[in-house]
Amino acid sequence: MLELVDAGLAYGSRQLWSGLSLRVEPGEFVAVLGANGSGKTSLVRAILGLQRLTAGTVTVTDGIGYVPQQRRVNLLTPLRARDVVGQGLDGHRWGLGRSAGRTARIRAALEAVDAAELADHPIGVLSGGEQQRVRVAQALVAGPRLLLCDEPLLSLDLRSQRTVTALVDRRRREAGTAVLFVTHEINPVLPYVDRVLYLAGGRFRIGTVPEVFTSAVLSQLYGVPVEVVTVNDRILVAGIPQAHHE
Amino acid sequence: MSELFTFADYGQLLALVHNSIAAGAVLGLVGGLISVFVMMRDMPFAVHSISELSFAGASGALLFGANVVLGSLTGSILAAVLIGLLGSRARDRNSVIGVLMPFGLGLGVLFLALYKGRSANKFGLLTGQIVAVDTPQLSWLLATSAVVLVGLVVVWRPLSFASADPEQAAARGVPVAALSTVFMVLLGLTVAMSVQIVGALLVLSVVCTPAAAAMRVTASPVVVTVLSVVFGVGSVVGGILLSLGSTIPISPYVTTISFLIYVVCRIVGARRRRTVSRDVLHQPTTVAQGAG
């Protein structure tokens, strides 16, 4: 699905991370966390082939579904929700031919994110949360084997966050899609996550949530004392340097 | 008014200008199609700059006795590719355009000042000269249009993807940068054609206004494209037909029709958007968003 071997990325003299080896298996849900500027988005870009690694290799199966960060869309963009999802299906193909069953697949993808009734609305008039659900449908419509999510929950209300994460989880269980999920907040994905990759201060740690989310591990990553507390199945982290956090 | 409109002998006039009408229809078609991407990629300013360099190329050709269409094509494609290569980011692009535009216009003015031929030729390059479309010129126009049309059909879908969401398109393996260059060449060809017909100063009415108007009334990509073509053909051919009975050049007619279509579409669109946002707000699944 996805394999990084001794991967490293640097901008000039600034090393984001190095010696990163990670293998994501089919159906596995891996969350990527870390401070701002720790290279989470660069990791996603490297996996997509949009950014060259400065060390090591990355191997990916064909068929990546990509859910980017929420971004405002121009109000007048001449696309409806159904057209945006359609681009995930055949937007990369040359010519004008359309495959059979296209409409049905688009409808199914929109239904799966509770957005069937938005199909005919211009993408520009939808709220941020609605646009993001449409983007998830766009990423899933072609049936990818690896789903890359880059902060897809940012700016979503709690209900939409649950809808999106539950949908991603169902997808990997039913279709064996591997999931790499970049997020700055562990709690929304806590019920689903198998392993965590935590990036901070040029270092990283890979393991299950109980292995990584300890005061000792995070303190070591950040280089300052960090306190991890679990309350009612929620993980609270205190003491992360503000300069590195949003 | 009798100076402006004399429709006596209109039939005979029509027979004389069928070349121009054909050229106008083809230009309206190609302009209507390409304007969809000009709007999606936010490039009206770039179009204006390309048309000034196209004007410089055409006036240079006029001065040196070369083929004017070829001169206009050269200037146009050079400008389009330069803008494409130097201005991949919006901010860079605007500064490259701001530098290129006066340079092109100045060069064109210089060539025309040195040119000793008919002054109607000079004026025509800036403000249009469609009634003068002769058969060789028409052949050039048709050949150029054919290239643009075929090119657009091939790249339409990935170009639309890359224009709407370059990151997502790149993630799906769309060659976003290469497509951008291809689009600039197609745009250059279209602008060079438009310069021949409506003149360098008025190109935007053919290559921007049609889709700008269409996007006000619908978000369906197919309907936008069809409307844009209808608006493009309607304003260019309509402008030619109206100008036949008058002493005024074709451009004011084309630009006025084009502008009126846009105004009507804005009014219709404002009503439509009010209805749409009401619908969206009343949907039960819609939850208020904190941050947008």
Side-chain angles (χ1 to χ4, degrees):
Chain A
M1 292 293 126
L2 166 66
E3 187 165 23
L4 289 151
V5 180
D6 205 22
L9 191 65
Y11 290 110
S13 60
R14 186 167 159 258
Q15 186 79 40
L16 285 176
W17 30 263
S18 59
L20 177 58
S21 294
L22 172 69
R23 199 183 147 87
V24 184
E25 303 294 338
E28 193 180 15
F29 193 123
V30 176
V32 181
L33 287 106
N36 279 346
S38 60
K40 292 176 291 183
T41 291
S42 301
L43 174 66
V44 169
R45 290 179 55 80
I47 294 167
L48 287 171
L50 301 176
Q51 174 114 42
R52 202 184 290 271
L53 288 173
T54 40
T57 58
V58 56
T59 319
V60 198
T61 53
D62 278 345
I64 304 179
Y66 172 55
V67 184
Q69 290 176 11
Q70 157 64 14
R71 218 170 334 104
R72 283 316 295 181
V73 176
N74 185 338
L75 191 67
L76 290 178
T77 300
L79 297 169
R80 298 158 299 177
R82 64 163 77 237
D83 305 309
V84 171
V85 177
Q87 287 184 328
L89 200 56
D90 55 20
H92 59 292
R93 292 215 200 112
W94 307 99
L96 298 174
R98 291 185 167 185
S99 54
R102 185 178 189 275
T103 314
R105 288 180 75 177
I106 292 170
R107 196 186 309 124
L110 277 169
E111 275 165 9
V113 292
D114 295 338
E117 74 285 351
L118 301 178
D120 288 317
H121 285 295
I123 188 75
V125 307
L126 299 184
S127 72
E130 289 166 336
Q131 285 179 5
Q132 202 62 344
R133 272 189 283 155
V134 172
R135 288 200 182 92
V136 173
Q138 184 190 41
L140 290 177
V141 69
R145 298 172 69 193
L146 173 67
L147 190 60
L148 266 186
C149 306
D150 189 4
E151 297 273 19
L153 306 182
L154 225 56
S155 90
L156 293 201
D157 57 276
L158 267 177
R159 205 180 118 208
S160 298
Q161 286 191 2
R162 287 200 198 102
T163 311
V164 169
T165 45
L167 180 84
V168 167
D169 177 63
R170 197 173 80 204
R171 186 69 171 211
R172 58 123 181 188
R173 284 183 199 284
E174 289 176 359
T177 310
V179 176
L180 196 71
F181 198 106
V182 177
T183 174
H184 67 281
E185 170 67 76
I186 185 72
N187 289 307
V189 295
L190 204 50
Y192 313 115
V193 69
D194 294 315
R195 279 192 299 159
V196 172
L197 164 62
Y198 204 115
L199 301 163
R203 294 174 282 265
F204 66 89
R205 190 66 173 261
I206 300 172
T208 62
V209 172
E211 281 167 8
V212 174
F213 275 82
T214 68
S215 300
V217 168
L218 291 194
S219 298
Q220 192 209 340
L221 279 177
Y222 282 102
V224 294
V226 173
E227 203 68 41
V228 179
V229 191
T230 306
V231 186
N232 297 335
D233 295 329
R234 283 174 61 83
I235 294 179
L236 305 177
V237 181
I240 289 178
Q242 284 303 309
H244 292 281
H245 208 66
E246 50 197 336
Chain B
M1 282 312 275
S2 60
E3 278 294 297
L4 291 178
F5 298 100
T6 45
F7 287 107
D9 307 322
Y10 198 75
Q12 281 141 296
L13 267 175
L14 269 185
L16 283 173
V17 295
H18 66 271
N19 265 3
S20 313
I21 293 172
V26 167
L27 177 66
L29 168 69
V30 176
L33 290 175
I34 208 124
S35 69
V36 174
F37 293 109
V38 169
M39 288 309 296
M40 279 181 89
R41 301 171 76 86
D42 194 15
M43 297 196 89
F45 192 38
V47 167
H48 200 50
S49 170
I50 294 169
S51 70
E52 307 304 9
L53 261 97
S54 185
F55 161 68
S59 46
L62 202 59
L63 174 62
F64 297 111
N67 183 330
V68 173
V69 180
L70 212 59
S72 134
L73 277 175
T74 311
S76 180
I77 291 181
L78 218 63
V81 171
L82 261 179
I83 293 171
L85 290 181
L86 299 179
S88 49
R89 278 174 303 163
R91 194 181 300 171
D92 293 351
R93 196 167 70 209
N94 276 350
S95 58
V96 171
I97 292 165
V99 169
L100 274 182
M101 191 151 59
F103 173 67
L105 203 52
L107 211 57
V109 170
L110 169 70
F111 291 147
L112 286 191
L114 297 174
Y115 176 62
K116 299 295 176 216
R118 245 163 40 92
S119 63
N121 289 343
K122 304 183 184 182
F123 199 52
L125 284 176
L126 279 170
T127 60
Q129 53 179 2
I130 187 145
V131 183
V133 172
D134 54 19
T135 305
Q137 208 179 355
L138 183 64
S139 313
W140 270 103
L141 288 175
L142 291 180
T144 312
S145 315
V147 171
V148 176
L149 285 177
V150 170
L152 277 181
V153 166
V154 172
V155 302
W156 191 276
R157 196 156 45 194
L159 183 61
S160 172
F161 198 1
S163 305
D165 193 345
E167 269 186 60
Q168 183 70 264
R172 286 297 305 247
V174 172
V176 175
L179 266 182
S180 166
T181 306
V182 169
F183 172 70
M184 291 311 281
V185 171
L186 296 179
L187 180 62
L189 291 171
T190 312
V191 168
M193 286 168 57
S194 317
V195 169
Q196 300 298 308
I197 294 181
V198 292
L201 297 179
L202 308 164
V203 164
L204 283 174
S205 66
V206 178
V207 175
C208 162
T209 317
M215 279 162 58
R216 288 275 159 186
V217 292
T218 176
S220 155
V222 175
V223 180
V224 162
T225 309
V226 171
L227 277 183
S228 185
V229 167
V230 169
F231 294 163
V233 173
S235 51
V236 181
V237 173
I240 295 169
L241 291 178
L242 282 178
S243 75
L244 285 185
S246 87
T247 52
I248 292 174
I250 161 212
S251 306
Y253 292 104
V254 175
T255 51
T256 305
I257 297 174
S258 177
F259 179 68
L260 288 178
I261 291 174
Y262 178 77
V263 169
V264 169
C265 285
R266 261 203 96 112
I267 294 168
V268 173
R271 287 186 177 177
R272 181 189 68 105
R273 223 180 324 283
R274 272 200 296 277
T275 331
V276 168
S277 30
R278 238 190 339 264
D279 285 356
V280 171
L281 286 175
H282 286 174
Q283 262 160 24
T285 50
T286 307
V287 185
Q289 296 300 309

